[in-house]
Amino acid sequence: MNCNSDSEFRAFGCLPLVFLLSALALYLAGCSKSDNAPPPRPPLQVTVMKVAPADVPVDAVYIAQTQSSQAVNIQARVSGFLDKRVYVEGSAVKAGDVLFRMDPKPFQAQVDDAKAALQLQQAAMETAKANLARVKPLTELEALSQKDLDNAQGQYQQSAAAVEQAKAQLRTAQLNLSYTTITSPVSGVTSFAVVPEGTFVGSANSQLTTVSALTPMWANFSLSEAQLERIHREVEKGLLILPPNRSFEVQLELVDGTMYPHKGRITFADPSYNSQTGTFLIRASVDNPDGVLRPNQYVRAHLIGARRPNAIMVPQRAVQQGAKGHFVWVISADKKAEARPVEVGDWHGDDWFINEGLVSGDQIAVDGTLRVVPGATVIVTPYVATPARTAAPATTAPPAAASQPGNAGTAQPAPPPAAK
């Protein structure tokens, strides 16, 4: 058919052909779309753990610095020439060990002079005593006047007082002589010698060295007002339970991550805040019989004894961060994924405490959640905790106390017990 031969036929006769071609094009297009449509997504495979609340022991961790419980400045008590340094700098000494010797000769001369003065006064007292013994019976016989007796009595008393004074001067001279041998008043470790041998020691340069006791050792840390208030709120809400009488044990973690074997107790809590830092000082005392801890050493102080009752913990990687906050993927009984908002608490090893949002029996996805979307069907396999996770120590939930300080490490601080 030639549709171009007649204009009227072109206007009406060609319409069926146009419709036929359009329908054919739509059919072919529909077939093309159907053939290229993506296949339905297969179910995602995720590991799932069931929420099971439990009581969890928790530590409060603080950055602390050690301090000698008795750091003594060794000073010369008399002026004179320093003859000899006896001790080895930096060595451990016991109470009573000799550290320095000063030139004793001038002080020995003072002792000898005081002894001679004492003998002189004792001789004078003996004479006065004998005179009194002669005067007294003669006065009773009225051979001598009462005035003579009073003079003899006064002379004897003056001589006796002079003897006591001479004795005191002798003791002072002997004490000064003993000060020329300078000993350590405590057992500990020595510092360097400030004054070299042969130097004249006086009031301006009397300090010779320092001896620091190594046991017990103090560990000082600080707690801020905000940290303490946070702990009090958790205690009020029942999220944290402190040990009886707030009697926390303190264990120190060394710089290499090992735990110091000897545990201690809090012995002092500053009753007032530091006006510059807004924190207050807490001091723990720890036995250090082997001298492993040294003064001014940085450690981590773990306060042990608090626990979180019926706590819900989930692995950290199970918690996601969204635009509206933290959430986890909860898997329903029909294997559907649901995003559940949660309120997170402290870290505890490789886990996270969940304060709100989950209940006992909820199943949450731990691994394989990268492509999960709300309503997605999943294939679940049980989550198995790794040994590292199960062995992770509690380092987050801190204990609380009334008026004590501390710098929290990875864990939020807990208030320490009042010093006894």
Side-chain angles (χ1 to χ4, degrees), residues 167-337:
K167 288 181 179 180
Q169 292 174 346
L170 175 60
R171 286 194 295 270
T172 300
Q174 290 172 334
L175 191 62
N176 289 337
L177 176 62
S178 69
Y179 288 158
T180 60
T181 300
I182 301 169
T183 61
S184 175
V186 297
S187 297
V189 61
T190 57
S191 181
F192 62 91
V194 179
V195 179
E197 298 173 352
T199 304
F200 182 83
V201 177
S203 58
N205 61 342
S206 61
Q207 182 168 344
L208 304 179
T209 189
T210 301
V211 177
S212 301
L214 295 182
T215 187
M217 185 65 72
W218 290 345
N220 298 321
F221 54 95
S222 297
L223 181 65
S224 72
E225 185 177 3
Q227 291 169 340
L228 182 59
E229 182 60 29
R230 175 181 177 273
I231 298 305
H232 286 165
R233 287 197 304 267
E234 291 189 352
V235 172
E236 291 174 357
K237 292 180 180 179
L239 299 176
L240 187 66
I241 296 179
L242 306 182
N245 301 321
R246 296 182 177 180
S247 180
F248 294 95
E249 279 190 322
V250 179
Q251 188 168 25
L252 303 183
E253 179 183 348
L254 304 181
V255 67
D256 60 356
T258 60
M259 302 302 292
Y260 184 67
H262 299 280
K263 296 180 181 179
R265 296 282 181 180
I266 291 176
T267 56
F268 172 76
D270 199 331
S272 60
Y273 284 94
N274 186 306
S275 59
Q276 296 180 342
T277 63
T279 62
F280 59 95
L281 175 70
I282 299 176
R283 175 187 296 160
S285 181
V286 180
D287 287 337
N288 186 34
D290 300 324
V292 174
L293 300 176
R294 291 301 176 104
N296 302 320
Q297 182 177 348
Y298 282 100
V299 295
R300 289 181 182 271
H302 292 248
L303 269 64
I304 304 170
R307 61 186 176 90
R308 290 193 181 275
N310 297 317
I312 293 177
M313 290 192 306
V314 300
Q316 293 179 18
R317 60 183 179 277
V319 181
Q320 310 293 320
Q321 177 74 50
K324 296 183 179 180
H326 295 92
F327 70 93
V328 297
W329 291 107
V330 177
I331 308 303
S332 63
D334 57 355
K335 305 299 188 292
K336 299 290 185 181

Side-chain angles (χ1 to χ4, degrees), residues 379-396:
I379 299 174
V380 300
T381 57
Y383 168 73
V384 179
T386 61
R389 175 180 177 270
T390 56
T395 53
T396 37

Side-chain angles (χ1 to χ4, degrees), residues 48-54 310-315 328-330 340 342 354 357-366:
V48 171
M49 68 170 289
K50 181 178 288 187
V51 172
N310 297 317
I312 293 177
M313 290 192 306
V314 300
V328 297
W329 291 107
V330 177
R340 178 83 60 83
V342 294
I354 303 298
L358 294 177
V359 295
S360 178
D362 282 342
Q363 293 192 98
I364 64 167
V366 179

